Amino acid sequence: MKVKVDYLVCEANAVCMGLAPEVFELDDDDQLHILLPEPPPEMMDRVRHAVRSCPKAALSLEEN
């Protein structure tokens, strides 16, 4: 699975970063960065939770 972000929708609320900081990071300019675009299987439950928890639905998962 690959993590995607719609930067036009993302408001940098950092909910995803709080739930999966190994995968999501906000920089000093409030720009979201995907640190691990293809997280390992052992992280996927937390990543799915972060994607579902995005207040603006700016995150998605795609099959590789």
Side-chain angles (χ1 to χ4, degrees):
M1 294 285 239
K2 187 169 185 173
V3 180
K4 296 282 194 167
V5 60
D6 183 341
Y7 290 101
L8 297 175
V9 177
C10 180
E11 288 185 341
N13 292 306
V15 172
C16 57
M17 193 173 92
L19 294 170
E22 306 88 351
V23 177
F24 304 99
E25 179 181 74
L26 284 178
D27 65 19
D28 292 338
D29 295 322
D30 284 338
Q31 179 73 33
L32 180 66
H33 298 276
I34 308 296
L35 301 175
L36 290 172
E38 296 182 31
E42 62 271 11
M43 287 185 180
M44 286 310 298
D45 284 342
R46 288 189 305 131
V47 171
R48 283 187 188 93
H49 181 59
V51 168
R52 285 191 310 268
S53 298
C54 178
K56 299 305 285 183
L59 299 172
S60 61
L61 291 172
E62 287 184 1
E63 292 286 338
N64 291 348

